[in-house]
Amino acid sequence: MARSSYSRQRPMGGGFELFAWYFMRISGLLLVLMALGHIVIMHIINSVEVINYAFVARRWAVPFWRVYDWILLALGVLHGSNGIRVVIDDYVHHRGWRAFCTSALYVLAFVLLVMGTEVLLTFTPGV
Amino acid sequence: MWAWILHRVTGVGVMIFIVIHILDTWLIGFGPEVYDTVMNIYRHPIFRLGEVALVGALLFHALNGLRVILIDFWPEAGLFQKQRQLFQVVVVLFFILYVPVAGYMIWDIIY
Ligand code: HEM
């Protein structure tokens, strides 16, 4: 539902909704540094012109970048999917459809986390 | 109101991009041929313009997100007048940062 307010109000009930509300703000602060840092390095200083298999292999040879990318993956997927959950709650009112959309979202988030983690952990150049 | 709509649209937009982006990065596990083929698709000017838009969406979402967080945790900023002023700061900062970045990225596409 459209809000005249600038953002979602802090949920009063406590529990998961309050936790999610704080999580959006804390992950948002971290994402400012990490997501914008990622954009500056990969999309402005470098670009798809120079990014290829060899580039990623060189980058992921340094453990720091694997850890960085994994934290960015986790924060981005969790922040983004919780945001989508709130959007679904706002627009999908039918109980069945809402349950369907939210479940599909959770499956998607889980699959993305597993795929991202898998490639970050197992990638070995030349295999 | 506008800030809220833009925040929502950019948030959903960036999320859609991230879904695609995790899938394409995952493909690197299949070796150089597969991954470099995909990167070649991304070099098409249409995709590179999309990238410029993506950077703009994330930049706006980040700046406005900071404004939201500031208002939530600092009651004085929550006064309606202050909220408006903070949104103006967001808009000005957005243009100061985005115009050179977008200009540079488009220049990079053309040359
Ligand atoms: C770069 C730093 C970022 C900051 C500071 C930030 C901040 C925020 C904040 C504070 C909210 C909650 C707004 C509310 O409760 O009304 C939010 C919502 C949201 N964010 Fe982010 N965010 C960032 C990055 C991202 C990224 C990378 C994504 C995509 C994966 C994303 C997707 C979303 C979505 C979909 C929402 C829900 C929008 C809504 O409910 O209207 N954000 N963001």
Side-chain angles (χ1 to χ4, degrees):
Chain A
M1 211 167 299
R3 296 186 190 88
S4 53
S5 173
Y6 65 95
S7 81
R8 191 171 179 222
Q9 297 302 299
R10 191 192 260 108
M12 287 312 201
F16 176 75
E17 288 299 334
L18 184 65
F19 169 77
W21 189 91
Y22 275 106
F23 174 77
M24 286 310 267
R25 277 133 189 93
I26 293 165
S27 58
L29 286 178
L30 293 169
L31 280 168
V32 171
L33 299 173
M34 298 196 66
L36 292 182
H38 174 86
I39 292 282
V40 169
I41 296 168
M42 302 298 279
H43 299 257
I44 298 174
I45 297 177
N46 294 291
S47 79
V48 283
E49 287 305 327
V50 295
I51 296 173
N52 56 17
Y53 186 89
F55 181 96
V56 180
R58 248 180 292 128
R59 189 162 176 273
W60 282 354
V62 187
F64 173 83
W65 290 115
R66 294 208 197 208
V67 175
Y68 184 103
D69 286 354
W70 189 80
I71 297 174
L72 184 59
L73 166 80
L75 286 176
V77 169
L78 293 175
H79 177 104
S81 34
N82 187 247
I84 303 284
R85 183 185 66 87
V86 173
V87 175
I88 292 174
D89 281 352
D90 273 355
Y91 298 123
V92 185
H93 297 302
H94 184 279
R95 280 190 83 228
W97 280 112
R98 182 188 287 196
F100 173 78
C101 292
T102 311
S103 314
L105 174 71
Y106 288 166
V107 172
L108 176 72
F110 180 76
V111 169
L112 290 174
L113 283 176
V114 169
M115 289 170 77
T117 306
E118 187 250 347
V119 75
L120 277 166
L121 283 179
T122 61
F123 177 74
T124 352
V127 178
Chain B
M1 190 66 194
W2 271 106
W4 178 78
I5 294 173
L6 280 173
H7 194 78
R8 175 156 281 190
V9 170
T10 52
V12 174
V14 174
M15 183 62 187
I16 293 172
F17 166 78
I18 280 185
V19 172
I20 301 168
H21 189 34
I22 293 172
L23 295 178
D24 68 54
T25 305
W26 181 71
L27 289 175
I28 201 166
F30 291 90
E33 292 82 20
V34 175
Y35 188 73
D36 290 349
T37 308
V38 177
M39 286 301 116
N40 248 323
I41 302 174
Y42 283 165
R43 290 188 187 118
H44 191 282
I46 298 279
F47 278 92
R48 301 212 54 197
L49 282 176
E51 194 187 6
V52 178
L54 166 81
V55 171
L58 184 73
L59 181 63
F60 175 84
H61 189 93
L63 290 172
N64 191 62
L66 287 175
R67 165 179 163 272
V68 165
I69 296 169
L70 194 70
I71 297 173
D72 281 335
F73 292 109
W74 183 36
E76 268 167 63
L79 300 171
F80 185 70
Q81 206 50 40
K82 282 270 162 57
Q83 285 190 29
R84 285 193 75 108
Q85 285 170 2
L86 276 173
F87 184 59
Q88 284 157 8
V89 173
V90 165
V91 172
V92 170
L93 274 180
F94 175 82
F95 280 107
I96 292 177
L97 293 169
Y98 190 53
V99 168
V101 165
Y104 172 75
M105 288 178 80
I106 291 172
W107 182 81
D108 202 46
I109 301 173
I110 299 173
Y111 299 103

